[in-house]
Structures are given as C-alpha cells and as structure tokens.
Amino acid sequence: MRSAVIAGIGSYLPPTLVTNDDLAARLDTSDEWIRTRTGMAVRHVVDPGDATSDLAVEAGRRALASAGGGGADALILATTTPDHQVPPTAPEIATRLGLGTLAAFDLSAACAGFLYGLTCASGLIATGAAERVLLIGADAFTTMVDPDDRGTVVLFGDAAGAVLLRAGAADEPGAVAMPVLGSDGSLADLIKVPAGGSRSRSSGPPSKQPDPGDVYFTMNGRETFRHAVRRMSEASREAVTRAGWDLTGVDRLAAHQANSRILAAVADELGFEPERQLSNIAEVGNTAAASLPTLLAHSAADGSLRAGHRVLLTAFGGGLSWGAATLTWPDVTVG
Ligand code: UT7
C-alpha cells in the first residue's frame, strides 16, 4: 500500500509578540506564575484584521518551497479558528497559493487536528485520490480567548505549520505510519466555546442574543490536564507498538505543546529523558493545530531533530480528541 511521505515542511509565526510581563501589566498574573505553571515565556499573536488564512498561506508557501516546488492535488487545513463559519477556509488558501481548483477542505479536531489531518492525507494518498497533499495546521486562538481571562489568555499563541506529503513507500524515511486516533464526547464540556454554533443559534427567539461572554473559549484546566496526560501516554504506547518499535528506541518525542508540566508528566510516564524531548513552548505557547508542525519545523531548523531520528508524535485537545503517530525523520530542508 502507498504511504504518505513528508517531502517538505515550513512554519510561520506572526511578528507581534506578547510577553508574560505584557500580560502581567494588565492582568492579575505574573511572569513567575506563567513560567512555572505553563513553561511559557512569550507568544506570537495576529494583529487586528489578520486571520488564520494569513498564517496558513505563509506556512503552506514555505512547505511547498521546502519540497522543491511543484503543487499539490489536495489541501487539508486543520483548524478550530477558520476565517468564517462559511465558507471553509482551505479553498481560499489554495487559491492564494496558486494551487488551482484542487480538493480543499477544513478539518476540525482541535489540538489533535494535525494528527487527524495526517491520517486523512495518508488515506487520500493510499487510495490514489491524491499524489501530493498539502496539510496545514493553523490557528489564531488569540482571536477566541477572552482578553481579560487570566486563566486562558496566557496559554495561547497564533501560528501555522505545514507539511507537503507525497506518495511513497512505507519503509522510506518520512513515511507516516497509520496514526492512532481517539475521542470522548462525554467530556465535551471541558473545552468549549458555548456560542456561535447551531446549538446557541437555534435556542430562544431570533431576537435573543447570546451572553456576550459565551463567544469566548472556556476550559476546565485541571480536568483537561489529567485527561491530556493519560490519553497522550496511552496513544503513544499504542502507536509505538503498532510501528514495531520500543519506547527506548524512539529518538524524539514531539508532544502537543499545551503545558510544560503536561509534557513532563507524559515524558515521565513514557520514560523519556529531557534530551529526547522536543519543545518550543517557551517561545510560542499553545498554538493548537499548529503546535505539532511548528514544533517539527523549529526542531528540524535548530538541529534538535535530524534525518534518521525515530519520532513519536502525540496530541490532545477539545472534543475530547487525541492521537499519536510515528515516523522516521526525512532529509528535508525547512522552508
Ligand atoms: O490544548 C488543549 C489542551 N490544553 C491543556 O491540556 C491545558 C491543561 N491545563 C493546564 O495547562 C493548567 O490546568 C492551567 C495552566 C490551565 C492552569 O494551571 P493549574 O496548575 O491547573 O492551575 P489551576 O487552574 O488549578 O489554578 C490554580 C490557581 C487558582 O487560584 P486559587 O483558586 O488557587 O486561588 C487560579 O485562579 O491559579 C490561579 N490562576 C492564576 N494565577 C495567576 C489561574 N490562572 C492564573 C494566572 N496567573 N494566569
């Protein structure tokens, strides 16, 4: 069976920075609290008027360049912050990248979106529906969090990361082994934006406006933390077993950058010492669907991830939804 093989990678961070001290200047928080509880120091944020597609186009352009040029015949945008409810954002990105009238769609699986996207891309390639798939994970979560809620605003940054996947063989470097995916809708309320969807729009008379606060992102942090550690650890074990690997033989753990304490707990559970863990949380914060591809791009660029490394990817987020995947890192130049 044909596999999806990573042939190019790129990422993009908007230039505007928000430091912990910037947040502490207007909220009841501190650099010390944010660093010790989350591991974050700074995050990049979109400027007013900018949106997810603006980040995604840049990351997509870089991934295509990294793959040596050429187009794609499918584009998947993993995001929770599309530019609009309608239309989907992926077709506009395709047009702005000059990719023509290819298949293009949005995929909503919160912070696990990149791993769900890898699975979809693998399926498109395995069935012959596509030869080259551009998969972009992009989110502008700062447009969704309450700027006055210290419990969430400190956590998120905006970013996009992208990979160009081509058809290849399962034993090639860069081939994505079929990921492990899971979900638990019984815990949907742990991470939620109450308003904006059909549930809130269909309730009450048309004149009834949603509570202004309901348009913002909410999260039960403590409960989410617990499930994140458990689900990423379990999915990781399963993905490594499926690959016929052993956890001690994994060279790099690339986990969704939600919180440095979650990362430490997962690494501890799986037996990964710090040298085998990739992290960029201090510089970017939690960038949702962009987290994993941005982490891979940054790590490949700074040399902490190198060709031949056996990599374990894992992510967890709203839904709840989670996943894990394995691949051997290919010889690619970051775009
Ligand atoms: O990407 C999707 C997945 N996301 C995650 O997995 C995130 C999971 N959760 C977390 O990362 C952590 O739960 C948080 C970072 C969100 C919170 O850390 P915590 O250690 O769980 O803190 P907490 O929510 O239990 O709050 C402890 C205290 C509270 O004060 P009291 O009630 O003890 O007086 C909070 O009000 O910390 C307070 N607090 C803050 N203090 C200063 C909450 N946010 C802040 C803040 N600055 N920014």
Side-chain angles (χ1 to χ4, degrees):
M1 195 169 79
R2 303 193 322 165
S3 287
V5 176
I6 293 182
I9 184 163
S11 68
Y12 178 74
L13 299 172
T16 302
L17 294 174
V18 173
T19 65
N20 292 347
D21 285 334
D22 292 335
L23 293 165
R26 61 178 189 82
L27 293 170
D28 181 16
T29 188
S30 66
D31 177 54
E32 200 265 338
W33 192 97
I34 300 170
R35 276 181 201 270
T36 55
R37 295 293 185 116
T38 73
M40 298 166 190
V42 67
R43 66 280 302 137
H44 293 247
V45 302
V46 289
D47 288 328
D50 286 345
T52 296
S53 65
D54 302 315
L55 310 175
V57 165
E58 285 308 317
R61 203 187 310 282
R62 292 174 187 193
L64 289 165
S66 159
D73 42 24
L75 188 155
I76 304 171
L77 173 69
T79 191
T80 309
T81 53
D83 289 10
H84 308 282
Q85 270 203 327
V86 177
T89 305
E92 180 189 325
I93 294 168
T95 296
R96 286 167 63 184
L97 286 170
L99 294 174
T101 56
L102 78 181
F105 62 97
D106 293 6
L107 184 158
S108 174
C111 300
F114 184 73
L115 291 179
Y116 273 75
L118 276 184
T119 312
C120 288
S122 297
L124 289 171
I125 286 173
T127 58
E131 294 296 316
R132 286 162 61 92
V133 180
L134 181 60
L135 167 62
I136 307 176
D139 265 311
F141 253 59
T142 65
T143 63
M144 206 163 63
V145 293
D146 179 349
D148 297 323
D149 176 15
R150 69 176 183 170
T152 54
V153 75
V154 303
L155 303 174
F156 294 98
D158 304 327
V163 290
L164 190 283
L165 297 145
R166 63 163 172 82
D171 58 358
E172 280 186 68
V176 180
M178 197 51 80
V180 173
L181 302 174
S183 74
D184 183 356
S186 72
L187 296 168
D189 286 344
L190 289 186
I191 302 176
K192 195 168 201 168
V193 177
S198 59
R199 178 75 64 199
S200 72
R201 289 185 182 197
S202 67
S203 60
S207 60
K208 183 176 178 292
Q209 296 297 314
D211 183 319
D214 283 354
V215 300
Y216 290 126
F217 175 89
T218 62
M219 177 169 66
N220 178 333
R222 270 188 211 182
E223 276 295 293
T224 302
F225 191 115
R226 216 165 48 80
H227 292 287
V229 174
R230 177 180 157 212
R231 295 303 187 179
M232 285 199 282
S233 300
E234 286 176 357
S236 293
R237 284 187 194 282
E238 197 180 330
V240 166
T241 302
R242 273 194 203 179
W245 295 359
D246 187 276
L247 281 167
T248 58
V250 174
D251 298 302
R252 295 292 182 268
L253 172 63
H256 169 50
Q257 304 285 290
N259 183 315
S260 58
R261 291 182 297 136
I262 293 177
L263 299 175
V266 171
D268 190 47
E269 172 71 29
L270 299 176
F272 279 84
E273 52 289 343
E275 307 78 69
R276 288 197 293 150
Q277 300 167 39
L278 301 177
S279 184
N280 63 352
I281 194 168
E283 298 87 38
V284 300
N286 182 345
T287 59
S291 181
L292 279 183
T294 305
L295 176 64
L296 294 173
H298 290 180
S299 302
D302 72 17
S304 47
L305 174 61
R306 296 187 292 281
H309 275 156
R310 288 176 164 202
V311 190
L312 168 61
L313 307 171
T314 186
F316 171 92
L320 302 176
S321 51
W322 59 84
T326 56
L327 59 91
T328 300
W329 194 247
D331 189 8
V332 285
T333 305
V334 180

